[in-house]
Amino acid sequence: MKKIFLTLTTLALLSSCDDDFDINRNPDLLTPGEISLASQLPAGIVGTAVAEGSYYALIGGFWAQYWTQGNSSNQYKNIDEYSISTVDYAGAWAAMYDALGDLKNVKKLALEQENWNYYLVATALQVQASQVLVDFYDQTPYSESNSSTILQPRFNTGQEAYDLMEADLKEALSKDLSQSQGLKPGKDDFIFTGDMAKWTAYANTLLLKIYLRQTEARPTVAQAGITALYNSGATFLDADAAVTQFEDAPDRSNPLFESDRRQLNTKINLRASRTTFSFLEENADPRRNNYYEAGNPLNQGDFNSTAAQTSIAVVKLSATTPVYFMSREESLFLQAEALERYLSGAGAKDKYDTAVKEAFTKWSLDGSTFVNAGGNYEYPNSGTFADKLEAIITQKWVAGFPGNGFESFFEQNRTGFPQVSAVPQTSASYIPGQFSYGVNGVTGGLFPKRIQYPNTVRTRNPNAPALVPITTPVWWDVN
């Protein structure tokens, strides 16, 4: 993907959403006195959406086993065989930190102006983007990133970054929004158009996610944080935190569609993975027809298959699909797990049921029968905690298609769900939906756990950590 894609998509969305924006002035080139909160916030939002919705969505979809490389091309073989190296996808890192620069500028200006509304918005978005980076790379610049006076920022450990993200969210949430000075976000806020109750709920839910991600590495921290959140009466997200303004036009469409379909001018690369396809088929889940075109799946990573190209199901992508920073169903699944883990389980089933039904509603389908008594996705009320966690995480995995596979990848690393198959997908005893090591994997049977730093980072910053294999777990992954 070219850098120009980020620039054009950002400018296109800015111009389509508010004619008052001066799109000919790059916020990165303005002096602090020339920057307005309302002009830089959109750049940060869309920059983050493009980075996560293209580069990381692509990798996440492979490693969550939504799709696999088609057998008539080789565009993404390095992802599918787990051989991403330091020369691959450097644009992802650059795009994310470019967007973080915009968000940190908004945060700095908002603090100076005591504009607590913009301060909360910028903090929540900074944490969301940083969490994705930490979970992919482990050690990342956080405390010293995007500073005009620190050209070689130090890398915080993953645990340090998590503690800093927690502190930043709490500090932003502590501000009295009723005393906020200056303008309130409006059309420049592509996510909630200035609804600060939703931003508060979103920030609380990000805190919840940060605590849950630590359940295996620091269970006491996770439990204490979640218990305090619930005891404080915190509200949680009950709407989509998403960029929805995409159009079916060049440089205005969903980033994954734009990069994989429009720019490459082909649809042969992304094919249905047997992992997700078989799970949907086994459960007679009608979302299969929304995820894939007609045809059969490929075994994960089997890009050397001799199957006829016309017989293999193509992944469906749409130009207007939103980029979800957090969907309503993800929030509900997070709440269901928290309630089961630390709050006696009261209300967990209701959160789970609502989440599953919402995941169907996204595709104009009714999922009620699936969660009703006897349904294929009925909540295992009488089961063990492991049974309940498996149900929650499995449904979160299925619901993440197409753009949030990286979250499903992270959650599989944390929880072990979906389970990893003990047999190859060619075996008659393969259980639909279980993860399978890529047929052409080059890591000796070990699944990827991270992305390596780009060469540009390692050559320009002596503080960059030493490279480790992509099979090395990040800090919270202790399974």
Side-chain angles (χ1 to χ4, degrees):
M1 266 167 279
K2 300 177 181 178
K3 173 68 173 177
I4 193 67
F5 170 49
L6 172 62
T7 304
L8 290 177
T9 303
T10 302
L11 297 184
L13 275 176
L14 291 179
S15 60
S16 68
C17 294
D18 192 335
D19 293 337
D20 294 333
F21 290 131
D22 180 0
I23 65 172
N24 294 313
R25 306 185 76 200
N26 183 345
D28 294 335
L29 302 180
L30 301 178
T31 64
E34 296 177 303
I35 300 172
S36 73
L37 296 171
S39 65
Q40 193 145 34
L41 177 62
I45 292 174
V46 180
T48 306
V50 169
E52 292 184 18
S54 57
Y55 302 103
Y56 294 124
L58 180 69
I59 296 169
F62 276 102
W63 290 355
Q65 304 199 1
Y66 296 155
W67 49 68
T68 191
Q69 170 65 56
N71 62 341
S72 59
S73 59
N74 59 12
Q75 184 74 27
Y76 308 124
K77 284 174 64 175
N78 60 339
I79 308 176
D80 216 8
E81 68 181 10
Y82 318 135
S83 65
I84 292 181
S85 71
T86 60
V87 298
D88 299 312
Y89 304 102
W93 178 281
M96 282 289 266
Y97 274 104
D98 185 70
L100 279 168
D102 293 320
L103 295 173
K104 291 191 78 170
N105 280 343
V106 172
K107 186 176 176 180
K108 178 178 179 290
L109 287 169
L111 179 63
E112 293 171 354
Q113 299 171 16
E114 297 187 0
N115 190 319
W116 305 133
N117 290 319
Y118 274 97
Y119 190 75
L120 177 60
V121 171
T123 301
L125 291 169
Q126 176 196 354
V127 168
Q128 191 277 334
S130 298
Q131 171 251 309
V132 173
L133 287 168
V134 173
D135 291 353
F136 261 132
Y137 299 94
D138 198 18
Q139 299 182 58
T140 58
Y142 186 87
S143 58
E144 295 184 355
S145 69
N146 301 102
S147 169
S148 60
T149 60
I150 304 175
L151 301 182
Q152 296 175 337
R154 80 179 185 91
F155 281 61
N156 295 101
T157 67
Q159 182 171 313
E160 286 174 345
Y162 260 65
D163 288 343
L164 290 166
M165 289 189 287
E166 176 190 352
D168 281 351
L169 283 172
K170 286 182 174 179
E171 193 257 347
L173 285 164
S174 73
K175 303 298 185 184
D176 185 351
L177 298 185
S178 69
Q179 299 300 310
S180 180
Q181 303 298 306
L183 295 175
K184 185 179 178 183
K187 288 192 292 183
D188 56 312
D189 169 9
F190 294 161
I191 299 174
F192 296 131
T193 58
D195 188 330
M196 296 312 298
K198 289 180 180 177
W199 277 109
T200 298
Y202 179 42
N204 285 330
T205 315
L206 285 171
L207 264 178
L208 182 64
K209 177 191 280 191
I210 284 171
Y211 290 134
L212 284 171
R213 200 55 52 86
Q214 301 177 72
T215 55
E216 307 307 308
R218 295 200 294 181
T220 56
V221 170
Q223 182 170 4
I226 290 171
T227 302
L229 260 180
Y230 276 88
N231 287 344
S232 72
T235 58
F236 298 108
L237 189 65
D238 195 34
D240 293 325
V243 177
T244 62
Q245 294 87 351
F246 300 109
E247 303 171 11
D248 189 2
D251 300 315
R252 293 175 180 262
S253 55
N254 169 279
L256 183 58
F257 179 91
E258 182 73 22
S259 59
D260 180 69
R261 298 294 159 88
R262 199 186 307 277
Q263 289 190 356
L264 294 179
N265 194 30
T266 182
K267 58 190 294 188
I268 64 174
N269 283 299
L270 301 184
R271 301 290 183 146
S273 166
R274 186 173 301 279
T275 309
T276 303
F277 186 100
S278 67
F279 179 85
L280 298 172
E281 187 174 51
E282 176 76 7
N283 288 287
D285 191 324
R287 287 177 292 181
R288 190 191 74 173
N289 295 327
N290 297 91
Y291 290 10
Y292 309 113
E293 295 183 4
N296 301 312
L298 276 177
N299 294 327
Q300 186 66 39
D302 193 14
F303 47 73
N304 291 326
S305 168
T306 58
Q309 183 182 162
T310 55
S311 70
I312 305 171
V314 171
V315 171
K316 287 186 176 181
L317 296 177
S318 169
T320 57
T321 297
V323 169
Y324 296 97
F325 291 156
M326 181 181 289
S327 66
R328 179 175 183 243
E329 56 268 29
E330 182 185 355
S331 172
L332 290 164
F333 284 128
L334 290 168
Q335 294 172 65
E337 180 183 346
L339 292 169
E340 281 294 355
R341 276 189 183 275
Y342 303 124
L343 295 142
S344 304
K349 179 184 184 303
D350 179 63
K351 298 294 184 186
Y352 169 88
D353 288 354
T354 305
V356 174
K357 288 186 284 188
E358 177 68 16
F360 276 79
T361 299
K362 284 287 195 304
W363 304 97
S364 300
L365 298 168
D366 184 359
S368 300
T369 59
F370 283 84
V371 295
N372 290 343
N376 288 343
Y377 303 149
E378 180 185 5
Y379 193 66
N381 251 339
S382 60
T384 65
F385 171 73
D387 294 331
K388 296 170 183 176
L389 181 63
E390 181 171 18
I392 293 167
I393 301 300
T394 299
Q395 288 305 312
K396 187 192 295 186
W397 161 62
V398 177
F401 181 97
N404 290 79
F406 53 85
E407 281 296 328
S408 299
F409 165 68
F410 301 148
E411 290 291 65
Q412 201 283 330
N413 287 336
R414 176 178 70 97
T415 67
F417 299 122
Q419 295 183 45
V420 173
S421 178
V423 298
Q425 291 181 322
T426 53
S427 171
S429 59
Y430 169 72
I431 298 173
Q434 290 195 344
F435 274 33
S436 181
Y437 184 76
V439 172
N440 289 290
V442 298
T443 52
L446 299 176
F447 286 87
K449 298 289 187 177
R450 64 168 67 211
I451 301 174
Q452 292 185 326
Y453 303 113
N455 262 339
T456 51
V457 175
R458 299 180 62 246
T459 57
R460 295 174 185 174
N461 189 346
N463 295 314
L467 287 181
V468 297
I470 67 169
T471 55
T472 304
V474 299
W475 79 276
W476 47 254
D477 181 4
V478 298
N479 286 323

